[in-house]
Amino acid sequence: MTNDRAHASSDQIDLDLLDLGLIAKAVCSGVYVSGRDLNDLLQQSVRAELSEHRRVEIDLSIENQVTARCGEVSRTAIMTEGQGAILLPVGVAEPIFSPRPVRRPKPSIVPLKELPQAEFETAAKFAFRKAPDTQTAAVAILHKGNLVAEQYGAGAHQDMSLESWSMGKSLAALLLACAVSDGLIGLEDSLGLREWSNPSDPRAAVTVEDALRMSSGLAFSASWAADYDADRDGYPDHGLIYSGALDARALVTSRELRHTPGTFGAYKNSDTLLLMAALEDRLTTAGLDPLTWPYERLLVPLGASSILLETDPYGHALITGYVYGCARDWARLAQIFIDRALADALGVDWACLQTCLTPSPAWAGQYWMSEAPAGFIDSIYGGQVWLNRHAPQDRWPAPDDTAFFLGVGGQYAFMVPSLELIVVRMGHIRGTVDTGAGRGHVPALLEAACDAARTAQ
């Protein structure tokens, strides 16, 4: 699929090709990154059929390669040494770029202390309710920086890298804060992308902070956004970056402005990809490798050896969704946002992190991707993290200062600064999507963990 296909309307795009691409990539990551059983994957994480319930054949006959096939149509993903599973364009046998190995030593400059506590271990069990089956895979709870509870579902364990989806957006914010600390970039800077170097290009007005706060104003389509028009926009760009095996950077930088930067907030993959593109350019200028820098700069010092950033076939990190990691490591990443000593030890700019935890002005009046209550004028989005401000207690029963990473399929990392608490819940996507389980067990987990933290204060 060429970049030109990315601009086609939904009636021109072969939806079977896109769906097969998602299946091939998910199975490749599940088998080779997570080390999961194929049958478990198909039952818990991958819908192995297409429209009209046509079955998909999964071919694992070639080592480090997965092909999803339905009739005459097929898509292939391959496992690489450094960048994990990569979905290939149709008719292409290998990535367009040269994958790079990544050093992953275990030692951390700030080791994680394990101090199990009964109250928190009891709280963790709330995430494993079986009526309906929520398919929780992992829970990890940190209190005052210590691992006080963890629990795993059938087939999962503490070192298993699991699909994290949009929790990766919050990792992008952490990487940005590292670059700010190193003097490579500033929040008030223009993104400075090479594709927008013409001084008359209105997109040159988009700042780093605009992208951080999901308010670039770019005409990048997402089906739930207020500015999405199915007839005009066709197949949403938001999903095309995952299933199209195209150059994600080329796609996002090809889109024009639809709103004045900083005035319209919308949850779109474009803005996180813009941040990563700006980092790519700054790092390259500084003589650093954008593919290995996240590990060398943050993940290795933290000891987060399970975290894996996968890319498109052109070598651009799809950090918006294709990030794998274990619950412990996601908890440690979340801890950086609320623990200044840890942030300082890792050289992560504290002021940038606090910007992420304050409301995005462009999001004022928007409410959980749905209609806001009458008179609601606050903002529930910060900088690549969601905010709990004024949420109903039956939704997120936690203090107002709570913020969280969020990924589809029930991936959460809650940060509660006032209680020095981190709560991570990771699950298999079909447990929340197919069973209609919703989020009922997650609020129960969060509430119990907050109660345990208050008791332990």
Side-chain angles (χ1 to χ4, degrees), residues 270-307:
S270 56
D271 290 35
T272 315
L273 294 174
L274 290 175
L275 286 180
M276 296 304 291
L279 286 179
E280 277 185 0
D281 289 351
R282 267 47 168 216
L283 292 168
T284 300
T285 298
L288 300 169
D289 184 349
L291 287 178
T292 60
W293 179 82
Y295 302 93
E296 296 164 353
R297 179 60 180 82
L298 177 65
L299 299 174
V300 168
L302 181 63
S305 60
S306 75
I307 301 294

PDB file of all heavy atoms in Angstrom, residues 270-307:
ATOM      1  N   SER A 270      -2.299  12.052  15.410  1.00  0.00           N
ATOM      2  CA  SER A 270      -1.437  12.995  14.694  1.00  0.00           C
ATOM      3  C   SER A 270      -0.516  13.761  15.621  1.00  0.00           C
ATOM      4  O   SER A 270       0.679  13.940  15.337  1.00  0.00           O
ATOM      5  CB  SER A 270      -2.292  13.988  13.896  1.00  0.00           C
ATOM      6  OG  SER A 270      -3.210  14.660  14.748  1.00  0.00           O
ATOM      7  N   ASP A 271      -1.039  14.223  16.757  1.00  0.00           N
ATOM      8  CA  ASP A 271      -0.264  15.142  17.582  1.00  0.00           C
ATOM      9  C   ASP A 271       0.902  14.437  18.273  1.00  0.00           C
ATOM     10  O   ASP A 271       1.994  15.004  18.414  1.00  0.00           O
ATOM     11  CB  ASP A 271      -1.180  15.832  18.589  1.00  0.00           C
ATOM     12  CG  ASP A 271      -2.122  16.807  17.893  1.00  0.00           C
ATOM     13  OD1 ASP A 271      -2.537  16.503  16.752  1.00  0.00           O
ATOM     14  OD2 ASP A 271      -2.428  17.866  18.451  1.00  0.00           O
ATOM     15  N   THR A 272       0.697  13.194  18.678  1.00  0.00           N
ATOM     16  CA  THR A 272       1.799  12.425  19.245  1.00  0.00           C
ATOM     17  C   THR A 272       2.845  12.135  18.176  1.00  0.00           C
ATOM     18  O   THR A 272       4.059  12.206  18.440  1.00  0.00           O
ATOM     19  CB  THR A 272       1.283  11.104  19.841  1.00  0.00           C
ATOM     20  OG1 THR A 272       0.111  11.349  20.599  1.00  0.00           O
ATOM     21  CG2 THR A 272       2.340  10.462  20.717  1.00  0.00           C
ATOM     22  N   LEU A 273       2.404  11.807  16.974  1.00  0.00           N
ATOM     23  CA  LEU A 273       3.341  11.558  15.881  1.00  0.00           C
ATOM     24  C   LEU A 273       4.116  12.819  15.508  1.00  0.00           C
ATOM     25  O   LEU A 273       5.284  12.751  15.122  1.00  0.00           O
ATOM     26  CB  LEU A 273       2.590  11.007  14.670  1.00  0.00           C
ATOM     27  CG  LEU A 273       1.961   9.625  14.859  1.00  0.00           C
ATOM     28  CD1 LEU A 273       1.113   9.251  13.644  1.00  0.00           C
ATOM     29  CD2 LEU A 273       3.032   8.566  15.103  1.00  0.00           C
ATOM     30  N   LEU A 274       3.466  13.993  15.628  1.00  0.00           N
ATOM     31  CA  LEU A 274       4.181  15.247  15.385  1.00  0.00           C
ATOM     32  C   LEU A 274       5.298  15.443  16.407  1.00  0.00           C
ATOM     33  O   LEU A 274       6.403  15.884  16.065  1.00  0.00           O
ATOM     34  CB  LEU A 274       3.206  16.424  15.438  1.00  0.00           C
ATOM     35  CG  LEU A 274       2.203  16.550  14.292  1.00  0.00           C
ATOM     36  CD1 LEU A 274       1.236  17.699  14.558  1.00  0.00           C
ATOM     37  CD2 LEU A 274       2.915  16.758  12.954  1.00  0.00           C
ATOM     38  N   LEU A 275       5.009  15.135  17.675  1.00  0.00           N
ATOM     39  CA  LEU A 275       6.054  15.230  18.700  1.00  0.00           C
ATOM     40  C   LEU A 275       7.231  14.324  18.363  1.00  0.00           C
ATOM     41  O   LEU A 275       8.399  14.720  18.480  1.00  0.00           O
ATOM     42  CB  LEU A 275       5.490  14.841  20.069  1.00  0.00           C
ATOM     43  CG  LEU A 275       4.568  15.816  20.775  1.00  0.00           C
ATOM     44  CD1 LEU A 275       4.127  15.245  22.114  1.00  0.00           C
ATOM     45  CD2 LEU A 275       5.249  17.165  20.982  1.00  0.00           C
ATOM     46  N   MET A 276       6.926  13.096  17.955  1.00  0.00           N
ATOM     47  CA  MET A 276       7.991  12.147  17.641  1.00  0.00           C
ATOM     48  C   MET A 276       8.781  12.591  16.404  1.00  0.00           C
ATOM     49  O   MET A 276       9.998  12.392  16.329  1.00  0.00           O
ATOM     50  CB  MET A 276       7.410  10.749  17.442  1.00  0.00           C
ATOM     51  CG  MET A 276       6.772  10.163  18.697  1.00  0.00           C
ATOM     52  SD  MET A 276       7.892  10.100  20.118  1.00  0.00           S
ATOM     53  CE  MET A 276       9.054   8.839  19.585  1.00  0.00           C
ATOM     54  N   ALA A 277       8.095  13.207  15.438  1.00  0.00           N
ATOM     55  CA  ALA A 277       8.792  13.716  14.260  1.00  0.00           C
ATOM     56  C   ALA A 277       9.736  14.852  14.642  1.00  0.00           C
ATOM     57  O   ALA A 277      10.873  14.934  14.147  1.00  0.00           O
ATOM     58  CB  ALA A 277       7.783  14.190  13.214  1.00  0.00           C
ATOM     59  N   ALA A 278       9.266  15.740  15.526  1.00  0.00           N
ATOM     60  CA  ALA A 278      10.125  16.836  15.986  1.00  0.00           C
ATOM     61  C   ALA A 278      11.336  16.294  16.734  1.00  0.00           C
ATOM     62  O   ALA A 278      12.464  16.789  16.561  1.00  0.00           O
ATOM     63  CB  ALA A 278       9.325  17.788  16.874  1.00  0.00           C
ATOM     64  N   LEU A 279      11.128  15.260  17.553  1.00  0.00           N
ATOM     65  CA  LEU A 279      12.254  14.640  18.249  1.00  0.00           C
ATOM     66  C   LEU A 279      13.206  13.977  17.269  1.00  0.00           C
ATOM     67  O   LEU A 279      14.436  14.063  17.411  1.00  0.00           O
ATOM     68  CB  LEU A 279      11.751  13.622  19.268  1.00  0.00           C
ATOM     69  CG  LEU A 279      11.130  14.182  20.552  1.00  0.00           C
ATOM     70  CD1 LEU A 279      10.660  13.043  21.455  1.00  0.00           C
ATOM     71  CD2 LEU A 279      12.116  15.058  21.298  1.00  0.00           C
ATOM     72  N   GLU A 280      12.667  13.293  16.264  1.00  0.00           N
ATOM     73  CA  GLU A 280      13.519  12.676  15.240  1.00  0.00           C
ATOM     74  C   GLU A 280      14.473  13.710  14.645  1.00  0.00           C
ATOM     75  O   GLU A 280      15.681  13.466  14.518  1.00  0.00           O
ATOM     76  CB  GLU A 280      12.654  12.102  14.109  1.00  0.00           C
ATOM     77  CG  GLU A 280      12.076  10.733  14.351  1.00  0.00           C
ATOM     78  CD  GLU A 280      11.331  10.219  13.122  1.00  0.00           C
ATOM     79  OE1 GLU A 280      11.281  10.945  12.094  1.00  0.00           O
ATOM     80  OE2 GLU A 280      10.806   9.100  13.176  1.00  0.00           O
ATOM     81  N   ASP A 281      13.923  14.869  14.260  1.00  0.00           N
ATOM     82  CA  ASP A 281      14.744  15.886  13.615  1.00  0.00           C
ATOM     83  C   ASP A 281      15.793  16.449  14.562  1.00  0.00           C
ATOM     84  O   ASP A 281      16.958  16.635  14.186  1.00  0.00           O
ATOM     85  CB  ASP A 281      13.851  17.010  13.088  1.00  0.00           C
ATOM     86  CG  ASP A 281      13.021  16.586  11.887  1.00  0.00           C
ATOM     87  OD1 ASP A 281      13.254  15.481  11.357  1.00  0.00           O
ATOM     88  OD2 ASP A 281      12.125  17.354  11.487  1.00  0.00           O
ATOM     89  N   ARG A 282      15.397  16.734  15.826  1.00  0.00           N
ATOM     90  CA  ARG A 282      16.361  17.282  16.790  1.00  0.00           C
ATOM     91  C   ARG A 282      17.465  16.273  17.093  1.00  0.00           C
ATOM     92  O   ARG A 282      18.643  16.631  17.191  1.00  0.00           O
ATOM     93  CB  ARG A 282      15.649  17.639  18.086  1.00  0.00           C
ATOM     94  CG  ARG A 282      15.142  19.057  18.280  1.00  0.00           C
ATOM     95  CD  ARG A 282      14.375  19.665  17.150  1.00  0.00           C
ATOM     96  NE  ARG A 282      13.711  20.901  17.559  1.00  0.00           N
ATOM     97  CZ  ARG A 282      12.517  21.268  17.095  1.00  0.00           C
ATOM     98  NH1 ARG A 282      11.878  20.487  16.233  1.00  0.00           N
ATOM     99  NH2 ARG A 282      11.978  22.419  17.486  1.00  0.00           N
ATOM    100  N   LEU A 283      17.078  15.020  17.277  1.00  0.00           N
ATOM    101  CA  LEU A 283      18.063  13.988  17.600  1.00  0.00           C
ATOM    102  C   LEU A 283      19.027  13.762  16.445  1.00  0.00           C
ATOM    103  O   LEU A 283      20.240  13.632  16.650  1.00  0.00           O
ATOM    104  CB  LEU A 283      17.355  12.684  17.964  1.00  0.00           C
ATOM    105  CG  LEU A 283      16.554  12.712  19.271  1.00  0.00           C
ATOM    106  CD1 LEU A 283      15.662  11.484  19.375  1.00  0.00           C
ATOM    107  CD2 LEU A 283      17.493  12.792  20.466  1.00  0.00           C
ATOM    108  N   THR A 284      18.498  13.721  15.238  1.00  0.00           N
ATOM    109  CA  THR A 284      19.348  13.524  14.069  1.00  0.00           C
ATOM    110  C   THR A 284      20.345  14.665  13.928  1.00  0.00           C
ATOM    111  O   THR A 284      21.538  14.443  13.654  1.00  0.00           O
ATOM    112  CB  THR A 284      18.486  13.396  12.802  1.00  0.00           C
ATOM    113  OG1 THR A 284      17.592  12.272  12.944  1.00  0.00           O
ATOM    114  CG2 THR A 284      19.350  13.188  11.574  1.00  0.00           C
ATOM    115  N   THR A 285      19.872  15.890  14.141  1.00  0.00           N
ATOM    116  CA  THR A 285      20.761  17.054  14.073  1.00  0.00           C
ATOM    117  C   THR A 285      21.864  16.967  15.115  1.00  0.00           C
ATOM    118  O   THR A 285      23.010  17.371  14.879  1.00  0.00           O
ATOM    119  CB  THR A 285      19.954  18.348  14.267  1.00  0.00           C
ATOM    120  OG1 THR A 285      18.996  18.469  13.210  1.00  0.00           O
ATOM    121  CG2 THR A 285      20.856  19.576  14.263  1.00  0.00           C
ATOM    122  N   ALA A 286      21.528  16.407  16.284  1.00  0.00           N
ATOM    123  CA  ALA A 286      22.507  16.276  17.367  1.00  0.00           C
ATOM    124  C   ALA A 286      23.399  15.048  17.213  1.00  0.00           C
ATOM    125  O   ALA A 286      24.234  14.771  18.084  1.00  0.00           O
ATOM    126  CB  ALA A 286      21.776  16.219  18.707  1.00  0.00           C
ATOM    127  N   GLY A 287      23.223  14.294  16.126  1.00  0.00           N
ATOM    128  CA  GLY A 287      24.047  13.111  15.896  1.00  0.00           C
ATOM    129  C   GLY A 287      23.616  11.898  16.688  1.00  0.00           C
ATOM    130  O   GLY A 287      24.411  10.964  16.886  1.00  0.00           O
ATOM    131  N   LEU A 288      22.362  11.870  17.129  1.00  0.00           N
ATOM    132  CA  LEU A 288      21.826  10.756  17.914  1.00  0.00           C
ATOM    133  C   LEU A 288      20.868   9.936  17.063  1.00  0.00           C
ATOM    134  O   LEU A 288      20.224  10.462  16.149  1.00  0.00           O
ATOM    135  CB  LEU A 288      21.109  11.282  19.157  1.00  0.00           C
ATOM    136  CG  LEU A 288      21.982  12.104  20.118  1.00  0.00           C
ATOM    137  CD1 LEU A 288      21.115  12.809  21.163  1.00  0.00           C
ATOM    138  CD2 LEU A 288      23.008  11.205  20.797  1.00  0.00           C
ATOM    139  N   ASP A 289      20.745   8.657  17.361  1.00  0.00           N
ATOM    140  CA  ASP A 289      19.880   7.757  16.604  1.00  0.00           C
ATOM    141  C   ASP A 289      18.482   7.756  17.218  1.00  0.00           C
ATOM    142  O   ASP A 289      18.306   7.313  18.361  1.00  0.00           O
ATOM    143  CB  ASP A 289      20.456   6.336  16.634  1.00  0.00           C
ATOM    144  CG  ASP A 289      19.664   5.364  15.776  1.00  0.00           C
ATOM    145  OD1 ASP A 289      18.555   5.714  15.321  1.00  0.00           O
ATOM    146  OD2 ASP A 289      20.145   4.236  15.567  1.00  0.00           O
ATOM    147  N   PRO A 290      17.455   8.254  16.504  1.00  0.00           N
ATOM    148  CA  PRO A 290      16.106   8.307  17.077  1.00  0.00           C
ATOM    149  C   PRO A 290      15.545   6.951  17.483  1.00  0.00           C
ATOM    150  O   PRO A 290      14.667   6.886  18.348  1.00  0.00           O
ATOM    151  CB  PRO A 290      15.269   8.919  15.943  1.00  0.00           C
ATOM    152  CG  PRO A 290      16.244   9.682  15.113  1.00  0.00           C
ATOM    153  CD  PRO A 290      17.518   8.875  15.167  1.00  0.00           C
ATOM    154  N   LEU A 291      16.050   5.856  16.881  1.00  0.00           N
ATOM    155  CA  LEU A 291      15.518   4.535  17.208  1.00  0.00           C
ATOM    156  C   LEU A 291      16.113   3.958  18.492  1.00  0.00           C
ATOM    157  O   LEU A 291      15.456   3.179  19.183  1.00  0.00           O
ATOM    158  CB  LEU A 291      15.760   3.569  16.050  1.00  0.00           C
ATOM    159  CG  LEU A 291      14.889   3.779  14.811  1.00  0.00           C
ATOM    160  CD1 LEU A 291      15.260   2.780  13.730  1.00  0.00           C
ATOM    161  CD2 LEU A 291      13.412   3.680  15.140  1.00  0.00           C
ATOM    162  N   THR A 292      17.337   4.309  18.805  1.00  0.00           N
ATOM    163  CA  THR A 292      17.965   3.761  20.005  1.00  0.00           C
ATOM    164  C   THR A 292      17.992   4.742  21.175  1.00  0.00           C
ATOM    165  O   THR A 292      18.140   4.334  22.324  1.00  0.00           O
ATOM    166  CB  THR A 292      19.412   3.309  19.699  1.00  0.00           C
ATOM    167  OG1 THR A 292      20.176   4.436  19.240  1.00  0.00           O
ATOM    168  CG2 THR A 292      19.421   2.229  18.624  1.00  0.00           C
ATOM    169  N   TRP A 293      17.836   6.038  20.886  1.00  0.00           N
ATOM    170  CA  TRP A 293      17.893   7.062  21.937  1.00  0.00           C
ATOM    171  C   TRP A 293      16.881   6.844  23.060  1.00  0.00           C
ATOM    172  O   TRP A 293      17.225   7.011  24.241  1.00  0.00           O
ATOM    173  CB  TRP A 293      17.717   8.447  21.308  1.00  0.00           C
ATOM    174  CG  TRP A 293      17.730   9.580  22.290  1.00  0.00           C
ATOM    175  CD1 TRP A 293      18.819  10.190  22.841  1.00  0.00           C
ATOM    176  CD2 TRP A 293      16.577  10.245  22.831  1.00  0.00           C
ATOM    177  NE1 TRP A 293      18.430  11.198  23.693  1.00  0.00           N
ATOM    178  CE2 TRP A 293      17.050  11.257  23.707  1.00  0.00           C
ATOM    179  CE3 TRP A 293      15.205  10.100  22.670  1.00  0.00           C
ATOM    180  CZ2 TRP A 293      16.193  12.103  24.406  1.00  0.00           C
ATOM    181  CZ3 TRP A 293      14.342  10.942  23.364  1.00  0.00           C
ATOM    182  CH2 TRP A 293      14.842  11.923  24.226  1.00  0.00           C
ATOM    183  N   PRO A 294      15.612   6.490  22.789  1.00  0.00           N
ATOM    184  CA  PRO A 294      14.666   6.300  23.903  1.00  0.00           C
ATOM    185  C   PRO A 294      15.148   5.283  24.931  1.00  0.00           C
ATOM    186  O   PRO A 294      14.894   5.438  26.132  1.00  0.00           O
ATOM    187  CB  PRO A 294      13.390   5.821  23.208  1.00  0.00           C
ATOM    188  CG  PRO A 294      13.477   6.391  21.830  1.00  0.00           C
ATOM    189  CD  PRO A 294      14.934   6.311  21.489  1.00  0.00           C
ATOM    190  N   TYR A 295      15.835   4.249  24.469  1.00  0.00           N
ATOM    191  CA  TYR A 295      16.344   3.226  25.381  1.00  0.00           C
ATOM    192  C   TYR A 295      17.548   3.747  26.149  1.00  0.00           C
ATOM    193  O   TYR A 295      17.628   3.625  27.380  1.00  0.00           O
ATOM    194  CB  TYR A 295      16.708   1.968  24.595  1.00  0.00           C
ATOM    195  CG  TYR A 295      15.547   1.401  23.813  1.00  0.00           C
ATOM    196  CD1 TYR A 295      15.344   1.752  22.488  1.00  0.00           C
ATOM    197  CD2 TYR A 295      14.636   0.541  24.415  1.00  0.00           C
ATOM    198  CE1 TYR A 295      14.269   1.254  21.775  1.00  0.00           C
ATOM    199  CE2 TYR A 295      13.559   0.033  23.707  1.00  0.00           C
ATOM    200  CZ  TYR A 295      13.378   0.395  22.384  1.00  0.00           C
ATOM    201  OH  TYR A 295      12.312  -0.093  21.681  1.00  0.00           O
ATOM    202  N   GLU A 296      18.489   4.319  25.428  1.00  0.00           N
ATOM    203  CA  GLU A 296      19.718   4.788  26.064  1.00  0.00           C
ATOM    204  C   GLU A 296      19.444   5.929  27.038  1.00  0.00           C
ATOM    205  O   GLU A 296      20.051   6.010  28.111  1.00  0.00           O
ATOM    206  CB  GLU A 296      20.708   5.224  24.985  1.00  0.00           C
ATOM    207  CG  GLU A 296      21.151   4.081  24.078  1.00  0.00           C
ATOM    208  CD  GLU A 296      21.812   4.569  22.803  1.00  0.00           C
ATOM    209  OE1 GLU A 296      21.813   5.803  22.563  1.00  0.00           O
ATOM    210  OE2 GLU A 296      22.302   3.726  22.025  1.00  0.00           O
ATOM    211  N   ARG A 297      18.506   6.809  26.666  1.00  0.00           N
ATOM    212  CA  ARG A 297      18.275   8.014  27.457  1.00  0.00           C
ATOM    213  C   ARG A 297      17.363   7.784  28.659  1.00  0.00           C
ATOM    214  O   ARG A 297      17.561   8.380  29.720  1.00  0.00           O
ATOM    215  CB  ARG A 297      17.659   9.106  26.548  1.00  0.00           C
ATOM    216  CG  ARG A 297      17.337  10.417  27.251  1.00  0.00           C
ATOM    217  CD  ARG A 297      18.574  11.052  27.855  1.00  0.00           C
ATOM    218  NE  ARG A 297      18.259  12.297  28.532  1.00  0.00           N
ATOM    219  CZ  ARG A 297      17.784  12.403  29.773  1.00  0.00           C
ATOM    220  NH1 ARG A 297      17.556  11.295  30.476  1.00  0.00           N
ATOM    221  NH2 ARG A 297      17.543  13.571  30.307  1.00  0.00           N
ATOM    222  N   LEU A 298      16.356   6.918  28.519  1.00  0.00           N
ATOM    223  CA  LEU A 298      15.360   6.773  29.579  1.00  0.00           C
ATOM    224  C   LEU A 298      15.144   5.339  30.034  1.00  0.00           C
ATOM    225  O   LEU A 298      15.216   5.041  31.227  1.00  0.00           O
ATOM    226  CB  LEU A 298      14.015   7.353  29.122  1.00  0.00           C
ATOM    227  CG  LEU A 298      12.844   7.205  30.099  1.00  0.00           C
ATOM    228  CD1 LEU A 298      13.102   8.001  31.380  1.00  0.00           C
ATOM    229  CD2 LEU A 298      11.535   7.640  29.456  1.00  0.00           C
ATOM    230  N   LEU A 299      14.872   4.452  29.107  1.00  0.00           N
ATOM    231  CA  LEU A 299      14.388   3.119  29.477  1.00  0.00           C
ATOM    232  C   LEU A 299      15.470   2.259  30.124  1.00  0.00           C
ATOM    233  O   LEU A 299      15.192   1.531  31.093  1.00  0.00           O
ATOM    234  CB  LEU A 299      13.804   2.420  28.251  1.00  0.00           C
ATOM    235  CG  LEU A 299      12.611   3.161  27.621  1.00  0.00           C
ATOM    236  CD1 LEU A 299      12.181   2.476  26.328  1.00  0.00           C
ATOM    237  CD2 LEU A 299      11.445   3.228  28.597  1.00  0.00           C
ATOM    238  N   VAL A 300      16.699   2.327  29.629  1.00  0.00           N
ATOM    239  CA  VAL A 300      17.782   1.554  30.244  1.00  0.00           C
ATOM    240  C   VAL A 300      18.132   2.093  31.637  1.00  0.00           C
ATOM    241  O   VAL A 300      18.211   1.320  32.596  1.00  0.00           O
ATOM    242  CB  VAL A 300      19.016   1.500  29.325  1.00  0.00           C
ATOM    243  CG1 VAL A 300      20.224   0.956  30.074  1.00  0.00           C
ATOM    244  CG2 VAL A 300      18.720   0.622  28.107  1.00  0.00           C
ATOM    245  N   PRO A 301      18.318   3.410  31.819  1.00  0.00           N
ATOM    246  CA  PRO A 301      18.578   3.909  33.175  1.00  0.00           C
ATOM    247  C   PRO A 301      17.469   3.583  34.169  1.00  0.00           C
ATOM    248  O   PRO A 301      17.733   3.332  35.346  1.00  0.00           O
ATOM    249  CB  PRO A 301      18.717   5.424  32.979  1.00  0.00           C
ATOM    250  CG  PRO A 301      19.158   5.579  31.560  1.00  0.00           C
ATOM    251  CD  PRO A 301      18.457   4.479  30.810  1.00  0.00           C
ATOM    252  N   LEU A 302      16.224   3.586  33.696  1.00  0.00           N
ATOM    253  CA  LEU A 302      15.106   3.257  34.569  1.00  0.00           C
ATOM    254  C   LEU A 302      15.061   1.765  34.888  1.00  0.00           C
ATOM    255  O   LEU A 302      14.479   1.351  35.895  1.00  0.00           O
ATOM    256  CB  LEU A 302      13.785   3.700  33.930  1.00  0.00           C
ATOM    257  CG  LEU A 302      12.499   3.460  34.717  1.00  0.00           C
ATOM    258  CD1 LEU A 302      12.509   4.255  36.034  1.00  0.00           C
ATOM    259  CD2 LEU A 302      11.279   3.823  33.898  1.00  0.00           C
ATOM    260  N   GLY A 303      15.667   0.952  34.029  1.00  0.00           N
ATOM    261  CA  GLY A 303      15.580  -0.490  34.195  1.00  0.00           C
ATOM    262  C   GLY A 303      14.319  -1.071  33.593  1.00  0.00           C
ATOM    263  O   GLY A 303      13.923  -2.192  33.925  1.00  0.00           O
ATOM    264  N   ALA A 304      13.683  -0.315  32.697  1.00  0.00           N
ATOM    265  CA  ALA A 304      12.433  -0.757  32.060  1.00  0.00           C
ATOM    266  C   ALA A 304      12.767  -1.596  30.836  1.00  0.00           C
ATOM    267  O   ALA A 304      12.507  -1.202  29.692  1.00  0.00           O
ATOM    268  CB  ALA A 304      11.575   0.449  31.691  1.00  0.00           C
ATOM    269  N   SER A 305      13.325  -2.773  31.076  1.00  0.00           N
ATOM    270  CA  SER A 305      13.865  -3.582  29.984  1.00  0.00           C
ATOM    271  C   SER A 305      12.800  -4.215  29.116  1.00  0.00           C
ATOM    272  O   SER A 305      13.100  -4.697  28.015  1.00  0.00           O
ATOM    273  CB  SER A 305      14.786  -4.670  30.552  1.00  0.00           C
ATOM    274  OG  SER A 305      14.072  -5.520  31.435  1.00  0.00           O
ATOM    275  N   SER A 306      11.544  -4.238  29.576  1.00  0.00           N
ATOM    276  CA  SER A 306      10.497  -4.885  28.783  1.00  0.00           C
ATOM    277  C   SER A 306       9.900  -3.969  27.723  1.00  0.00           C
ATOM    278  O   SER A 306       9.250  -4.434  26.791  1.00  0.00           O
ATOM    279  CB  SER A 306       9.364  -5.364  29.700  1.00  0.00           C
ATOM    280  OG  SER A 306       8.574  -4.271  30.141  1.00  0.00           O
ATOM    281  N   ILE A 307      10.095  -2.662  27.856  1.00  0.00           N
ATOM    282  CA  ILE A 307       9.431  -1.724  26.955  1.00  0.00           C
ATOM    283  C   ILE A 307      10.036  -1.809  25.561  1.00  0.00           C
ATOM    284  O   ILE A 307      11.252  -1.735  25.379  1.00  0.00           O
ATOM    285  CB  ILE A 307       9.537  -0.279  27.477  1.00  0.00           C
ATOM    286  CG1 ILE A 307       8.904  -0.163  28.872  1.00  0.00           C
ATOM    287  CG2 ILE A 307       8.869   0.684  26.502  1.00  0.00           C
ATOM    288  CD1 ILE A 307       7.413  -0.378  28.919  1.00  0.00           C
TER     289      ILE A 307
END
